[in-house]
Amino acid sequence: MASKPQKMPKVAKVKDKSPAELQITAEQLLREAKERELEIVPPPPRQKISDPEELQEYRLKKRRAFEDNIRKNRGNISNWIKYAKWEEEQQEIRRARSVYERALDVDHRNITLWLKYAEMEMRMRQVNHARNVWDKAVTILPRANQFWYKYTYMEEMLKNTAGCRQVFERWMEWEPDEQAWLTYIKFELRYKELDRARAIYERFVYVHPEPKYWIKYAHFEENHGYIQSARRVYERAIQFFGDDHLDESLFIAFSKFEEGQKEHDRARVIYRYALDHMPKEKCLTLYNEYTRHEKKYGDKSSIDDVITSKRKFQYEEAVKANPHDYDTWFDYVRMLEADGNVDLIRETYERAIACVPPLKEKRHWRRYIYLWIYYALFEELTTKDIERARQVYQMCLRLIPHKIFTFAEIWLLYGKFEIRQKDLAAARKAMGQAIGMCPKHKLFRGYIDLEIKLREFDRCRKLYEKWAEFDPENCKMWIQFATLEAMLNDADRARGIYELSIAQPRLDMPEYMWKSYIDFEVEQEEWDRVRSLYERLLERTHHVKVWISFAKCEHSMTTEDNIVHARGVFQRANRALRLCQEKEQRLMLLEAWRDFEDEFGDAENEDKVKKLMPRKVTRRRQVTTDDGSQTRWEEYIDYIFPDDEAAKPSLLLLAKAKEWAKKQKEHTENLEEITPEAENPCFEETAEINPDLDRDDSDVEIGSSSESSSEHDEEEEMIKNGRKEKKRRKPSFESSDNDKIASKKKESKKSSYSTSTDEEIEKTKMREDNRKSHIFREERRSRTKKENSRSSESSSDSSSESNDNEK
């Protein structure tokens, strides 16, 4: 026996064989294990067998080894297969067959063992033995399809068609899976046996009743040109499954078959039959195919029908998922109304209104109530069924819980419906019932408008009286009531209504009520009544808009001195608003007065108003939180009026004066150097206020923007006059000191407000300052400590007197 060359064992190759420094890696462990595994002593060389006795001895030794392995593990089929395969290599077929038989006695359900046994017989061209093996295999294991496939393949390769067919028939008796049937059919088709293939299909579709196999059967008939037979197969399939187990794939295939045969009407009928008999959720693809077919071969009406049916299916699914989605119901019935199927529309409306909101809250009923309205309008306008429309309205009114909430629109629509039917008594009864059960402003307004259109003004008056009893605080009701009387030319009655309305203790919008009353009297040109109304209104409020409206009304009166009266109203308003905390109102009044004088007044009055205009300043204050603590500062805009400044000296002026005195003290101490602070202006708008002077005032002014420089001149004149008066009144021993201080202030004021840049003036000022400061220092040293304290007290008195002079 020829021996194969012995291969040398391979040594494992590892890239990094160096061990790790701290620990042994997994790679090293695997490498060492592999090296130990491969470091095996190579087997001894094969010996050559040269004579039959040596061969027999080798075979005997080998068989003994196989038998020992089998005895050790009888259930290991691989040992049996190796033993039989070795016997086959030694051309000992009988021994190999005996080994296989012995192995089958051990495990007769092992498929691999049967396949190896039969394949050995076929390799050795032992056909009958192979048949016997296959027969035994398929008898013992009939559900193992591999045996049947191998068996039929062998018979077909041997050109034994009858025997192969007989094997297939035996196989089909066990009703195998669909692939076995299709294999049998393909076998018959290879030999052009169409009738036999058709018969197999007939058996196949009943053994495996699934739509796809019926479709395969129909395709088989169609492919071989049997159109009528294919159509009958589809029809039989539809009858076989019935209405309970229909499948959309079957109808789609049937419709496409008819479409391929140019039978578009048949295809359309099939699609419609399927859509009518199948559940909507199972025919989504069918809808798409139907739409595609109609777009290709249908007309406009058929396409619309397809789209409608598809949308109908979608709406049905939506309302089934959420029956309280009233917007979907609206769209659904609107689509059905476009089709015109009255019974279907009515049925859908009934289904929709049956979905009553589960909670008795108005927000849940707002959309639902429109279903009733649309239903009633459909019955009235489309079907012309008046009695059914009346029943819809009445059922809706009975359903609404009026004690909890109501819908005025339903009552009004029902009343208008009865009027359209010329039943005025029923309409008034319905509206009266509505006002009695659930009075609302909209119901009163709608009922009154209805009676006004009918020219029933006495009824309107009664309804307004009822409305006034129901809600006496409603200004709109009083205004509409008075407007009705004015429209009927009953001025006294309208005036009485106005008087009754303003006499109410509470009104929701009293300003509109007074304005309407005043406008009414203006239209009547009762100017005395207009003035009286304004005076009565000003007794209640001093709002700036009331004053401006009063002044404009005085100007609009057709009298000679209307401008004088209007100016007088503005003057009264200005005096009244001086005590107002909101300075913006006074500013608004002055601006309106200024515009009035610009348009209708003269220059003198215009100048007077401009002198009353305030100065806008920016102030700073601390923000008080809810817990009373003051946290941060914020800026705000304030207005300073000239008359307020004359009545109350500005604390800012006192702060500037004290700051100037402090700077002057520093100047006297440093006589030889003139600080830049002495030359800078002392009176600045942004100067910081000493907190000792204004401890009670929460507002701190941080800057101001003057409208003109005339105010600075006025302050300078006030300071000069104050100094002169003080000089005349003060004793002689204090006059020199005060004169020096006054001259210092005067020079400082002049330097702060002067805009000249001439060098001679600057030098003169410096010499004068030096001389006066020297005199002041010498006198100050000569005074005692007591006189110094007394002079400081007198200086404070003099500053208060100067403030009095400024006042």
Side-chain angles (χ1 to χ4, degrees), residues 19 42 74 99 196 222 338 380 559 565 596 616 760:
R74 187 175 179 83
V99 172
R196 289 182 180 274
E222 182 183 2
E380 180 186 359
T559 57
H565 289 170
F596 171 78
K616 183 172 70 172
E760 294 295 333

Side-chain angles (χ1 to χ4, degrees), residues 320-580:
K320 187 183 295 182
N322 185 10
H324 297 290
D325 186 4
Y326 302 116
D327 292 331
T328 305
W329 283 110
F330 294 149
D331 298 336
Y332 191 11
V333 297
R334 194 175 294 114
M335 183 196 70
L336 295 178
E337 287 178 359
D339 292 341
N341 191 347
V342 176
D343 295 334
L344 184 59
I345 296 170
R346 191 169 288 155
E347 178 186 357
T348 308
Y349 268 121
E350 293 293 339
R351 289 169 53 199
I353 61 178
C355 301
V356 183
L359 299 177
K360 290 186 177 181
E361 296 181 8
K362 191 169 184 178
R363 60 190 180 90
H364 297 292
W365 287 63
R366 292 187 186 276
R367 298 296 293 162
Y368 168 73
I369 206 68
Y370 280 97
L371 287 172
W372 290 93
I373 296 174
Y374 291 161
Y375 189 14
L377 294 177
F378 168 74
E379 295 291 352
E380 180 186 359
L381 302 177
T382 305
T383 62
K384 307 297 182 181
D385 194 342
I386 305 302
E387 188 61 31
R388 186 181 286 272
R390 184 178 287 109
Q391 291 177 2
V392 171
Y393 278 118
Q394 293 173 357
M395 288 172 60
C396 178
L397 292 174
R398 285 197 296 269
L399 181 65
I400 298 173
H402 298 289
K403 293 183 179 180
I404 302 175
F405 59 86
T406 188
F407 291 95
E409 188 68 23
I410 289 291
W411 291 103
L412 295 174
L413 288 174
Y414 181 41
K416 293 176 182 178
F417 165 77
E418 294 293 354
I419 290 176
R420 286 195 296 272
Q421 309 310 317
K422 299 181 180 179
D423 193 351
L424 188 58
R428 284 174 174 161
K429 181 179 179 182
M431 297 304 298
Q433 185 181 3
I435 292 175
M437 291 177 60
C438 45
K440 290 184 66 177
H441 299 296
K442 191 173 182 180
L443 285 173
F444 280 107
R445 183 70 263 164
Y447 195 5
I448 290 170
D449 291 341
L450 187 64
E451 295 295 349
I452 288 176
K453 291 178 182 178
L454 296 173
R455 298 297 187 268
E456 294 288 344
F457 300 112
D458 292 335
R459 290 182 178 272
C460 294
R461 290 191 177 101
K462 292 179 181 179
L463 289 173
Y464 272 120
E465 292 173 2
K466 294 285 185 182
W467 196 356
E469 293 176 2
F470 169 67
D471 188 11
E473 299 177 4
N474 192 351
C475 289
K476 288 186 178 180
M477 178 269 300
W478 292 107
I479 293 172
Q480 291 172 1
F481 193 7
T483 303
L484 174 66
E485 298 296 346
M487 183 181 65
L488 298 175
N489 295 326
D490 196 344
D492 296 335
R493 203 178 180 91
R495 192 173 288 114
I497 293 169
Y498 277 121
E499 290 292 338
L500 186 61
S501 64
I502 62 176
Q504 297 297 322
R506 289 184 60 184
L507 291 174
D508 54 359
M509 293 183 294
E511 62 275 9
Y512 289 104
M513 193 72 249
W514 283 93
K515 182 179 183 303
S516 178
Y517 193 7
I518 292 171
D519 292 342
F520 167 74
E521 295 294 353
V522 169
E523 290 179 0
Q524 302 296 325
E525 296 184 357
E526 295 286 344
W527 305 117
D528 295 335
R529 292 181 181 273
V530 172
R531 291 192 183 95
S532 176
L533 285 175
Y534 271 114
E535 295 295 340
R536 290 166 60 186
L537 180 58
L538 289 173
E539 291 176 1
R540 299 191 179 192
T541 179
H542 285 278
H543 198 274
V544 62
K545 291 185 178 180
V546 178
W547 287 106
I548 294 174
S549 176
F550 191 10
K552 290 182 179 179
C553 183
E554 288 287 354
H555 177 259
S556 64
M557 294 180 185
T558 56
T559 57
E560 295 180 357
D561 52 352
N562 55 354
I563 296 177
V564 177
H565 289 170
R567 186 177 293 115
V569 172
F570 277 119
Q571 293 173 354
R572 285 179 56 195
N574 187 32
R575 289 193 297 271
L577 293 178
R578 284 182 181 177
L579 302 177
C580 182

